[in-house]
Amino acid sequence: ALAPRCGWVLPGLEQRLAVPAVVSPATARPYAAAAKTAKKDAKRGRQEKAKDKPPPRRRPLMSKPVDDVYLTWLYRRPCHEPEQAVAMLKRFQELDFTYPKQFVYINVFLDMTLQKKKKVDPFSSSVTLPHRFTDEVNKVLVFTENEQEAEIAREHGAAIVGGVELIKWILEDEIQADFYVAVPAIVPKLIPLRNKLKRKYPSTRKNSLGSDIPKMLQFFRECHEYAVEDGNIIKTRIARLDMPAEHIIANLKTIIHDICTFKPSNYDPIVRRLVIRSATSEGLLLNLDGILPEVQKVEEKEEKHEVDEDQQKPVQEPVST
């Protein structure tokens, strides 16, 4: 009895259903636009205040702590002389009861820049240290097709000796060596190995190409190799901690002097920072004054010598007539 009749519609309802109402955001939420505008203005105001506010002054680092316990980030990193740093490493080992014959490492940070946008290309090198710190002998492969030269190579400690038959085995990684040396006669036949060996490809610049097989073997079997990592860092070991301090420093200077040869002396020194450490100790920053080659000082001495010679020259007085 209460059900509406079929087709019965309230007055005006049909018109409302036919035309859907369009409600604007401003009408539905009258305060939304004003709140959004106020929020933007407040954010802009904070940004302007932050710009006007001077940057916080960082507390200047102090030079030397006065206590045994201190916050390291409040002080400048101390710079040590080589003798002092090596003595500290030995003392750390005694206090920590660590292995006394652990290796000593250096991290060398390089300045590879040249003029304009040019840079020194990452390099690797081998050097003979004045004091050996390991009994390990490098594995050296000798390329030669001469039986007499092959016999000499075997007598002087070559790990592998052969000719072009070794190329296939090297390309397939069946034969590997630490260093590869060759005689000049076989070099044209080794071109397929250029991309495989890359920096270890025999060359006269690296003293791995020549006719003196005993000399090359003696060098490469006992040499120390290092390479640039990550574009400007050299990380390598230089000695054992139980060696005399003067031997450790001599090995250090030998490697640093070899690194300095890869950048012309008329530019800034290639070694920018030097850190020494043992396998279990912290890194110690070294003073570079007594380690880098004294190229500039030598030039200054020559100029001073020339000035002294000019001053010592007798001045001839004009002869009066």
Side-chain angles (χ1 to χ4, degrees):
L2 298 177
R5 297 192 305 270
C6 183
W8 179 79
V9 182
L10 293 174
L13 183 60
E14 183 177 359
Q15 183 177 3
R16 275 193 249 171
L17 292 174
V19 182
V22 179
V23 181
S24 64
T27 305
R29 301 175 61 188
Y31 300 103
K36 192 173 184 179
T37 304
K39 189 175 181 180
K40 287 183 178 179
D41 293 341
K43 185 177 181 181
R44 189 180 300 110
R46 289 195 300 268
Q47 291 177 351
E48 291 177 355
K49 288 182 180 179
K51 291 180 180 179
D52 296 338
K53 185 178 180 181
R57 293 184 178 180
R58 185 178 179 182
R59 183 178 179 179
L61 297 178
M62 293 177 282
S63 59
K64 187 176 181 181
V66 295
D67 298 325
D68 294 336
V69 180
Y70 58 93
L71 298 174
T72 57
W73 56 271
L74 290 177
Y75 298 86
R76 299 189 189 98
R77 188 173 184 179
C79 189
H80 305 280
E81 297 297 329
E83 295 80 5
Q84 179 187 9
V86 173
M88 292 175 65
L89 294 180
K90 291 179 176 290
R91 183 58 178 164
F92 293 157
Q93 181 273 321
E94 295 175 359
L95 295 175
D96 296 337
F97 297 98
T98 54
Y99 185 55
K101 295 184 179 181
Q102 57 187 291
F103 288 116
V104 178
Y105 299 84
I106 57 172
N107 294 351
V108 189
F109 299 86
L110 307 177
D111 179 10
M112 309 286 278
T113 58
L114 295 173
Q115 61 182 0
K116 297 182 179 179
K117 295 183 179 180
K118 295 182 179 180
K119 292 185 177 181
V120 178
D121 295 329
F123 57 86
S124 64
S125 180
S126 301
V127 61
T128 301
L129 298 178
H131 306 283
R132 295 198 66 201
F133 59 90
T134 177
D135 295 331
E136 299 175 1
V137 177
N138 298 319
K139 186 178 180 181
V140 184
L141 184 148
V142 179
F143 288 106
T144 180
E145 292 181 323
N146 186 293
E147 287 296 332
Q148 185 177 0
E149 292 176 341
E151 187 63 26
I152 294 175
R154 294 188 188 96
E155 291 177 356
H156 286 81
I160 303 172
V161 183
V164 293
E165 70 276 3
L166 300 178
I167 295 178
K168 179 181 178 181
W169 295 343
I170 295 174
L171 292 175
E172 295 177 355
D173 293 329
E174 294 184 7
I175 292 179
Q176 294 180 351
D178 298 319
F179 296 97
Y180 301 82
V181 301
V183 294
I186 198 174
V187 169
K189 302 178 182 179
L190 302 180
I191 295 178
L193 293 175
R194 185 181 293 274
N195 293 332
K196 178 68 176 179
L197 300 182
K198 296 181 180 179
R199 293 178 180 176
K200 294 186 177 182
Y201 187 80
S203 67
T204 54
R205 184 175 60 85
K206 294 185 176 181
N207 299 320
S208 57
L209 175 62
S211 301
D212 195 344
I213 295 177
K215 183 179 179 180
M216 291 190 295
L217 283 172
Q218 181 181 3
F219 174 77
F220 286 105
R221 290 180 77 243
E222 300 180 355
C223 70
H224 178 75
E225 185 181 23
Y226 64 87
V228 176
E229 304 175 9
D230 301 327
N232 65 337
I233 302 176
I234 295 176
K235 300 178 182 179
T236 184
R237 57 187 186 179
I238 62 170
R240 288 190 182 274
L241 195 56
D242 63 331
M243 294 172 58
E246 56 271 18
H247 292 184
I248 298 176
I249 296 172
N251 286 357
L252 168 66
K253 291 183 178 180
T254 300
I255 294 178
I256 296 301
H257 286 201
D258 188 71
I259 293 173
C260 291
T261 60
F262 286 88
K263 189 175 183 180
S265 58
N266 55 335
Y267 290 93
D268 293 335
I270 190 172
V271 178
R272 181 167 51 90
R273 195 155 55 96
L274 177 59
V275 176
I276 188 171
R277 64 177 179 85
S278 66
T280 59
S281 74
E282 61 178 292
L284 302 176
L285 186 65
L286 292 182
N287 184 6
L288 298 176
D289 291 341
I291 299 177
L292 298 181
E294 299 180 357
V295 177
Q296 296 180 352
K297 294 183 179 179
V298 171
E299 293 177 354
E300 292 176 359
K301 288 180 180 179
E302 291 179 354
E303 293 178 358
K304 185 178 179 180
H305 183 65
E306 292 177 358
V307 172
D308 294 342
E309 286 183 350
D310 293 338
Q311 292 177 353
Q312 292 176 0
K313 288 181 180 179
V315 179
Q316 295 182 356
E317 298 178 358
V319 180
S320 56
T321 56

